[in-house]
């Protein structure tokens, strides 16, 4: 059985989509799974053993471009028995329809009658988690989901990781604290730079090195965190935000002995790599898209005004993040990582 997945457009969602791929392999062990998704997602998909091929989808969010969709569909015609469409938009269901894939499965979304012929009505109370909504599409409607739920697990190629370490002249002679201070969704999901710096300072004083990760948009906050460290400590940190490819970031994150992250795509990557992780939540909630790993501590204040799911704080104070003190994160890290840490010989 050949299955085409139309993948999501966010890093975290793509990581969580692996739960669907695992379920499909459990149900159809010999099936071939290809994923049609934005080109940036290729490094994630290449690290999922369930995926046979990552197919690049060149159109950005909101772009219709019917001619390009028809061209892509023409190349897919006759290759698949089923398509599973994970985004809820009407446009995301067009290519499987144009390709004439016999069985086209997805949630009802934007009134996609006709484009999908195996259309499901979502019961949010039955499937409160995003991974449950992904997994359910692997089975017949209303079929119970397997327990325990699979968790995303990204595989790492040792040679690729060594190349990334060499490119940035990084050594693993001391334990690594990975910090992910960005969040593409908006400012309300970002823990203050000063709080990240406080955690970084404590760990550097204890013999750790600090690696900062994120996109180009996060480079400035990475520099702000480093500037808050005094000379002598600052040199034990490196700002990799915007410097690495996504593939390199995944490989280097796999080296982390501990990590602190906002609710972001890299948070889900860290969880899928099995790294000890403290996930900091403010305006959002772990009730829908929690990091899926045994080595995770979620830290949040749970103020009356949160979760609000707003990009910026409607009250202007960002208290759900600002008042979440570094000590709470440090206590969570202490529970995850035994002390004292081992300092390796050169």
């Amino acid at each position: 059985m050949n299955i085409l997945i139309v993948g999501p457009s966010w890093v975290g969602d793509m990581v969580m989509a692996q739960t669907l791929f695992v379920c499909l392999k459990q149900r159809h062990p010999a099936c071939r799974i290809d994923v049609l998704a934005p080109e940036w997602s290729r490094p994630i998909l290449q690290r999922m053993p369930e995926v046979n091929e990552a197919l690049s989808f060149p159109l950005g969010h909101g772009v219709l471009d019917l001619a390009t969709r028809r061209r892509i569909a023409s190349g897919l015609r006759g290759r698949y028995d089923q398509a599973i469409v994970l985004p809820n938009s009407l446009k995301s269901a067009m290519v499987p329809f144009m390709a004439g894939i016999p069985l086209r499965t997805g949630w009802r979304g934007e009134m996609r009658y006709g484009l999908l012929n195996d259309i499901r009505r979502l019961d949010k109370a039955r499937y409160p988690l995003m991974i449950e909504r992904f997994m359910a599409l692997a089975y017949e409607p209303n079929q119970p989901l397997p327990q325990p739920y699979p968790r995303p697990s990204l595989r790492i190629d040792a040679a690729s990781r060594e190349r990334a370490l060499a490119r940035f002249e990084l050594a693993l002679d001391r334990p690594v604290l990975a910090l992910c201070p960005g969040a593409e969704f908006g400012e309300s999901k970002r823990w203050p730079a000063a709080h990240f710096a406080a955690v970084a300072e404590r760990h550097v004083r204890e013999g750790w090195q600090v690696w900062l990760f994120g996109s180009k948009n996060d480079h400035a906050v990475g520099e702000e965190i480093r500037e808050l460290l005094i000379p002598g400590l600052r040199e034990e940190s490196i700002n990799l935000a915007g410097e690495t490819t996504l593939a390199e970031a995944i490989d280097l994150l796999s080296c982390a002995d501990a990590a602190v992250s906002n609710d972001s795509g890299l948070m889900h990557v860290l969880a899928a790599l099995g790294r000890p992780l403290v996930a900091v939540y403010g305006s959002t909630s772990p009730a829908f898209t929690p990091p899926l790993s045994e080595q995770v501590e979620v830290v949040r204040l749970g103020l009356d005004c949160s979760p609000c799911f707003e990009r910026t704080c409607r009250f202007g104070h960002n208290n759900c993040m600002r008042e979440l003190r570094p000590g709470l994160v440090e206590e969570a890290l202490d529970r995850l990582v035994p002390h004292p840490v081992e300092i390796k010989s050169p």
Side-chain angles (χ1 to χ4, degrees), residues 8-31:
S9 298
W10 295 91
V11 170
D13 294 357
M14 186 62 77
V15 172
M16 289 184 285
Q18 190 180 15
T19 57
L20 166 64
F21 310 155
V22 171
C23 288
L24 288 170
K25 282 291 188 179
Q26 289 174 347
R27 189 178 182 195
H28 310 288
C31 73

Side-chain angles (χ1 to χ4, degrees), residues 40-68:
W40 61 256
S41 66
R42 185 176 298 273
I44 297 174
L45 295 169
Q46 288 176 333
R47 286 159 174 79
M48 295 179 177
E50 302 81 12
V51 175
N52 180 77
E53 185 177 0
L55 306 174
S56 180
F57 186 74
L59 300 181
H61 180 72
V63 177
L64 182 57
D65 193 346
L66 288 175
T68 297

Side-chain angles (χ1 to χ4, degrees), residues 69-206:
R69 292 178 190 272
R70 289 192 187 96
R71 176 177 56 80
I72 295 170
S74 177
L76 301 176
R77 188 174 298 276
R79 293 173 53 182
Y80 299 100
D81 305 292
Q82 182 182 16
I84 299 177
V85 182
L86 296 185
N88 287 326
S89 67
L90 184 145
K91 290 186 291 294
S92 63
M94 288 181 173
V95 168
F97 172 76
M98 294 174 176
I101 297 174
L103 181 63
R104 304 182 298 278
T105 302
W107 299 109
R108 183 174 62 176
E110 294 180 346
M111 304 301 290
R112 301 185 288 184
Y113 297 106
L115 296 180
L116 299 178
N117 56 12
D118 177 21
I119 198 162
R120 313 287 180 87
R121 292 177 178 269
L122 176 61
D123 182 345
K124 293 182 179 180
R126 182 176 185 180
Y127 301 126
L129 295 174
M130 176 176 283
I131 61 164
E132 293 173 326
R133 299 175 189 184
F134 287 165
M135 293 164 58
L137 296 177
Y139 302 99
E140 298 301 322
N142 301 317
Q143 184 175 340
L145 300 181
Q147 297 284 349
Y149 291 166
R151 289 174 172 163
S153 180
L154 301 179
R155 62 184 176 187
I156 295 297
D157 177 73
S160 176
R161 178 165 55 192
E162 288 301 319
R163 286 192 295 271
L165 289 167
R167 180 188 171 204
F168 294 99
E169 299 180 344
L170 298 170
L172 300 177
D173 55 333
R174 288 166 294 149
V176 175
L177 175 67
L179 301 181
C180 302
E184 292 297 322
F185 178 78
E187 185 65 31
S188 66
K189 292 176 71 172
R190 295 174 183 161
W191 202 40
H195 293 356
F196 274 106
V199 174
E201 177 177 343
R202 176 204 162 188
H203 279 73
V204 171
R205 290 186 183 278
E206 293 180 351

